[in-house]
Amino acid sequence: MPKKVVIDCDPGVDDALAILLAIFSKELDVLGITTVNGNVGIDLTTENALKIVEKAGSSIPVYRGMKKPLKKPLYSSGDVHGQNGLGGITVPKSKQNVEPISATDYLIQTGRASEGEITLITLGPLTNIAVAIQKDPEAMSNYKEIISMGGGVGVGNITPVAEFNYWVDPEAAKIVFNFDLPITMLGLNATHQTVLTPNDFHFMRLVDSELGEFLAQIHTTCINAYWEFDQLMGCVPHDSLAVAVAADPSLVETVYCNVEIATDGLTRGQSVADVINAWEEKRKNSHVGITVDSERFRDFIFLTLFSDHKDEYDTYKRFLGN
C-alpha cells in the first residue's frame, strides 16, 4: 500500500521536480500540498504548486500557507529559481483553484484524522508546521514523521553555516525540532552528493518532449546560477531527496542524534547536528542523512518520471559509463 504523505513546499524549481516525483511515485499517495513563503512569495509558491499539479495531470488539493516567517523579514531566491519561481518561463495559469481553508488548518485537520500513518514531507521553511504545532500540538503529534529537506552538517548555502530553508525561518525550525515527532533531516551534506547535468535534461527532452521540455526549461536559470556561484555544471535536486527517502528510506544512511537550531547571532539558521554524540544528555530528535546511494537516487528520479522509457534510460546509463 502506498505511503500517505502531505507535502509542504515553496515552489521553487527543485520543489517542482520533487512534487512531480511524489505524484508519479507508485510508493506514495499525496493527500494534499501546502505552500509557504520561501523561494518566492506566497502568491507565487501557491500558484506554482497548482501549475505543477496540473502539469502532472492530477487534482491534488493545494492549500495556501504562511506569507512570512515568524520573526524574520521576507526573503526570496529569485536569482536561483527565477523571479516567478519556475525559472522565469511562462506557464499558463492553473485552472484549479486553491482550497478555501488555510494550510495550517488543513495540517491540523489532517493530523486529527490521522492514526499515525501520514508522513509530512517538508521542502521549504518550516513556518506552516511550526504554526500548526503551536495551534494544536495534539493533532500534529498524530503524524507518523517529518521528512525535511533542510539544514546540513557543517555546510551552508545562504551563510557559511546555514542552509536556506532553515535560515529563512529559524524560529519555526527550532519549534519543529523541539516537538516530539520523529524527524529525518536531509541537509546539504546529503543533497550535494547528487547532481543533475545538462545532459540529463537533454535526455529528458528526448524521451518525453512535453514533461522533459518543461523540466529542462525551468532548470535553466538554476543551472546557470550553479555555474556562476559554484562552477558546477548542473544543479542539485535538493528537494527530490526528501521525496525519494519517503518512498525508499534505504536510499540514505542516517545518524540518530540531537539537532539544535541556532536563532541568534553569526550562526543564525544553522542546524547543529551532534553526529559524534558529544551531548549525551540531550534528547536525540533527528535521523540526520549522511550518505546517499546516489546512483539509486538518480534511478528513482528517471524511472519514476519516465517509467515507460527504462530501456532508453539503461542505454543512457551505459553512455555515461554507469
Side-chain angles (χ1 to χ4, degrees), residues 97-319:
N97 294 321
V98 69
E99 297 298 312
I101 68 170
S102 70
T104 52
D105 285 345
Y106 168 73
L107 290 168
I108 290 168
Q109 181 184 95
T110 304
R112 284 182 188 146
S114 173
E115 296 180 355
E117 80 281 14
I118 300 174
T119 292
L120 282 172
I121 303 174
T122 68
L123 310 179
L126 294 171
T127 315
N128 288 336
I129 314 302
V131 171
I133 287 170
Q134 290 178 319
K135 289 176 69 174
D136 195 333
E138 183 178 356
M140 294 303 290
S141 68
N142 288 337
Y143 283 96
K144 177 181 179 181
E145 62 183 339
I146 296 172
I147 300 177
S148 174
M149 190 279 119
V153 180
V155 62
N157 63 357
I158 194 75
T159 77
V161 296
E163 176 273 334
F164 177 85
N165 285 342
Y166 294 179
W167 177 85
V168 164
D169 198 343
E171 284 79 15
K174 189 175 185 69
I175 289 168
V176 173
F177 275 85
N178 285 344
F179 190 59
D180 190 15
L181 193 65
I183 300 175
T184 297
M185 186 185 91
L186 301 168
L188 299 178
N189 61 294
T191 61
H192 281 171
Q193 294 174 44
T194 184
V195 174
L196 292 176
T197 69
N199 275 342
D200 292 332
F201 290 106
H202 186 58
F203 171 78
M204 294 179 188
R205 280 187 169 114
L206 292 175
V207 296
D208 189 322
S209 59
E210 183 177 349
L211 180 60
E213 185 65 32
F214 171 73
L215 289 172
Q217 286 188 13
I218 68 172
H219 279 85
T220 298
T221 298
C222 190
I223 290 171
N224 292 342
Y226 269 102
W227 178 253
E228 179 181 354
F229 298 130
D230 298 324
Q231 286 71 60
L232 178 69
M233 184 55 73
C235 61
V236 178
H238 299 284
D239 291 339
S240 293
L241 186 60
V243 169
V245 168
D248 182 0
S250 73
L251 289 172
V252 174
E253 293 182 8
T254 63
V255 171
Y256 187 43
C257 66
N258 175 263
V259 174
E260 299 286 340
I261 307 297
T263 57
D264 297 306
L266 195 64
T267 60
R268 182 176 173 84
Q270 182 180 15
S271 54
V272 184
D274 182 17
V275 296
I276 64 172
N277 199 31
W279 299 326
E280 295 181 11
E281 73 284 359
K282 291 194 175 184
R283 178 178 72 92
K284 291 179 170 62
N285 61 355
S286 183
H287 297 271
V288 175
I290 301 297
T291 304
V292 180
D293 188 330
S294 299
E295 182 175 350
R296 287 178 54 223
F297 172 56
R298 280 174 55 85
D299 290 347
F300 174 81
I301 291 177
F302 284 96
L303 296 178
T304 299
L305 294 177
F306 309 106
S307 57
D308 293 337
H309 300 278
K310 183 180 184 305
D311 289 344
E312 292 100 318
Y313 178 60
D314 289 342
T315 300
Y316 178 54
K317 286 182 69 177
R318 287 195 295 272
F319 168 76

Side-chain angles (χ1 to χ4, degrees), residues 8-69:
D8 187 72
C9 57
D10 61 335
V13 171
D14 56 338
D15 303 74
L17 176 60
I19 292 167
L20 289 168
L21 284 168
I23 293 173
F24 290 151
S25 172
K26 295 177 182 178
E27 293 81 18
L28 302 177
D29 177 14
V30 183
L31 304 179
I33 296 173
T34 56
T35 63
V36 68
N37 168 82
N39 287 320
V40 286
I42 190 63
D43 291 339
L44 287 172
T45 61
T46 303
E47 176 59 24
N48 289 346
L50 290 166
K51 289 175 177 177
I52 298 158
V53 167
E54 189 169 283
K55 177 65 69 174
S58 176
S59 57
I60 293 166
V62 173
Y63 302 84
R64 177 188 169 101
M66 301 301 294
K67 66 180 181 180
K68 62 180 182 178

